[in-house]
Amino acid sequence: MPDIRILNPDTLGKPLGQYSQITRVKASEFLFIAGQVAVDSTGSLVGADDVDAQCVQVFANIEAALKSQGAGFANVVEFTTYLVHSQDIPKFMKYRQREFPRMFPAGAYPPNTLLMIDRLVGEQFLIEVQTVAAL
Amino acid sequence: MPDIRILNPDTLGKPLGQYSQITRVKASEFLFIAGQVAVDSTGSLVGADDVDAQCVQVFANIEAALKSQGAGFANVVEFTTYLVHSQDIPKFMKYRQREFPRMFPAGAYPPNTLLMIDRLVGEQFLIEVQTVAAL
Amino acid sequence: MPDIRILNPDTLGKPLGQYSQITRVKASEFLFIAGQVAVDSTGSLVGADDVDAQCVQVFANIEAALKSQGAGFANVVEFTTYLVHSQDIPKFMKYRQREFPRMFPAGAYPPNTLLMIDRLVGEQFLIEVQTVAAL
């Protein structure tokens, strides 16, 4: 494992969700994973009009990308999350509260930047997550 | 050249355009290039109301940035693309279909995250592309 | 200090503000700092309806994050800035003109990508800045 430290200094406000303020990483190898949307391995949409189901698929895709390189969620150094509807923020928060403790059993949630934008590549997509990881 | 592997694992859906799912990179030197818009080296707008012409200028700027450091498109590990109008998605796709095979002759298209946002720094800009590369 | 070179090649247009076109960085350790909004260390909003005050708090948070790791603004390799209102662009520009010369006394302003999006995590936030730094 690379040396990944996930940190929340006292001089910054406590994170308001399942993320942290800083990753400090010493590594010589990185993964850049294209933003993932809710399509399965056959290219079909998963979770039409259902942001929770889309979250499940998006993070399953990220996990598949990580696993394909012998890595896992513990290798993630940064997420950037794009939502299309601000009404979905509470559902995204709830998804993370439910699932992240299992995905990140050490309780070290990577930094995340949460942004509301106009649209993703297709109207059917409600969430996209971009990931950087270290190997 | 740094060790850059551009990958599409079977466990993820096939990319729906000229991009790939993952870059795995072993490198000790990186370039972070500010998001490029369609201005030429004199600072003038190129391609008013013409997203294809703006794509040409944006990627010419990225190439100039890479070349200034002795690098080229083969060094790119990640793009993030911002469009102002979702109607321009097909034109952006067409631009890449036409130009990327020449720019990336090995057929290894870097991961890209495509986002529709409200506006760029000026109303005249239709596309902006942020780039990370490895040396 | 890591080897950080901030560059503006002649082949690209002159930056239209307090940012540069490229960072070239040789480093083995990086910081990924979650997008910062205008909350103080107690989690309270700073600068309701006041984008200048929010800029001050956001960059104070980034500085706190950097300092917590023994670093400072000279370690920054990339900013990505999200504004909610395009009317705030001139105020953000003015903030940087006023403060960046002090924060970056060497005059080497890191690359920045400036994006206008729909909304941040709460309606009260007018600006968010994501930072990557090298140690």
Side-chain angles (χ1 to χ4, degrees):
Chain A
M1 271 295 292
D3 177 4
I4 295 178
R5 275 171 285 170
I6 291 194
L7 305 155
N8 286 303
D10 285 345
T11 45
L12 291 176
K14 213 168 153 267
L16 306 163
Q18 268 63 39
Y19 70 93
S20 302
Q21 296 286 16
I22 305 176
T23 298
R24 178 173 187 156
V25 55
K26 196 176 255 175
S28 60
E29 201 163 6
F30 288 89
L31 295 184
F32 293 87
I33 304 174
Q36 293 297 310
V37 291
V39 292
D40 63 19
S41 61
T42 69
S44 304
L45 172 69
V46 172
D49 300 317
D50 180 345
V51 73
D52 189 83
Q54 294 205 8
C55 288
V56 170
Q57 184 63 41
V58 161
F59 284 94
N61 289 349
I62 294 168
E63 188 168 24
L66 293 163
K67 278 196 172 162
S68 76
Q69 303 309 307
F73 283 118
N75 295 84
V76 173
V77 300
E78 184 182 56
F79 288 130
T80 306
T81 302
Y82 306 93
L83 292 179
V84 172
H85 303 305
S86 60
Q87 307 92 297
D88 287 340
I89 298 177
K91 293 175 194 164
F92 172 62
M93 299 289 192
K94 210 173 273 183
Y95 165 80
R96 292 196 300 186
Q97 278 166 359
R98 193 183 71 227
E99 300 295 340
F100 269 29
R102 182 187 56 77
M103 291 155 61
F104 300 92
Y109 304 124
N112 180 51
T113 299
L114 177 58
L115 306 161
M116 256 51 63
I117 65 168
D118 267 14
R119 221 193 84 156
L120 299 169
V121 65
E123 288 284 357
Q124 67 276 33
F125 300 120
L126 305 172
I127 178 168
E128 178 155 356
V129 181
Q130 209 175 3
T131 306
V132 183
L135 295 179
Chain B
M1 273 292 294
D3 178 3
I4 296 179
R5 275 172 285 170
I6 292 197
L7 306 154
N8 286 303
D10 286 345
T11 44
L12 289 176
K14 212 168 153 269
L16 306 162
Q18 268 62 38
Y19 71 93
S20 302
Q21 296 287 14
I22 305 176
T23 297
R24 179 172 185 156
V25 55
K26 195 177 257 176
S28 60
E29 200 163 7
F30 288 89
L31 295 184
F32 292 87
I33 304 174
Q36 293 297 311
V37 291
V39 292
D40 63 19
S41 61
T42 70
S44 304
L45 172 69
V46 172
D49 298 320
D50 180 346
V51 73
D52 189 82
Q54 294 205 8
C55 288
V56 170
Q57 184 64 43
V58 161
F59 284 94
N61 289 349
I62 294 168
E63 188 169 22
L66 293 164
K67 278 196 173 162
S68 76
Q69 302 310 307
F73 284 118
N75 295 84
V76 173
V77 300
E78 184 181 57
F79 288 130
T80 307
T81 302
Y82 305 92
L83 293 179
V84 171
H85 304 305
S86 60
Q87 307 92 296
D88 288 340
I89 298 177
K91 293 174 194 165
F92 172 62
M93 298 290 192
K94 212 173 270 182
Y95 165 80
R96 293 196 299 186
Q97 277 166 358
R98 194 182 70 225
E99 301 295 341
F100 269 29
R102 181 186 58 75
M103 292 155 60
F104 300 92
Y109 304 122
N112 180 50
T113 300
L114 177 59
L115 305 161
M116 255 53 62
I117 66 167
D118 266 15
R119 221 193 85 154
L120 299 169
V121 65
E123 287 284 356
Q124 66 275 33
F125 300 120
L126 305 173
I127 178 167
E128 178 155 354
V129 181
Q130 210 176 3
T131 306
V132 182
L135 295 179
Chain C
M1 273 292 294
D3 178 2
I4 296 178
R5 275 172 285 171
I6 292 196
L7 305 155
N8 285 304
D10 286 345
T11 45
L12 290 176
K14 212 169 154 266
L16 306 163
Q18 267 63 38
Y19 70 93
S20 302
Q21 296 287 15
I22 306 175
T23 298
R24 178 173 185 155
V25 55
K26 195 176 256 175
S28 60
E29 200 162 8
F30 288 90
L31 295 184
F32 293 86
I33 304 174
Q36 293 297 311
V37 292
V39 292
D40 63 19
S41 62
T42 69
S44 304
L45 172 68
V46 172
D49 300 317
D50 180 345
V51 73
D52 189 82
Q54 294 205 9
C55 288
V56 170
Q57 184 63 42
V58 161
F59 284 94
N61 289 351
I62 293 168
E63 188 168 24
L66 292 164
K67 277 197 173 160
S68 76
Q69 302 309 307
F73 283 118
N75 295 84
V76 173
V77 299
E78 184 181 58
F79 288 131
T80 307
T81 302
Y82 305 92
L83 292 179
V84 172
H85 303 306
S86 59
Q87 307 92 296
D88 287 341
I89 297 177
K91 294 175 194 163
F92 172 62
M93 298 290 192
K94 211 173 271 183
Y95 165 80
R96 292 195 301 186
Q97 277 166 0
R98 194 182 70 227
E99 300 295 340
F100 269 29
R102 183 186 56 76
M103 291 155 62
F104 300 91
Y109 304 123
N112 180 50
T113 299
L114 178 59
L115 306 161
M116 255 53 61
I117 66 168
D118 267 15
R119 221 193 84 154
L120 299 170
V121 66
E123 287 285 355
Q124 66 275 35
F125 300 120
L126 305 172
I127 178 169
E128 177 154 356
V129 181
Q130 211 176 1
T131 306
V132 183
L135 296 180

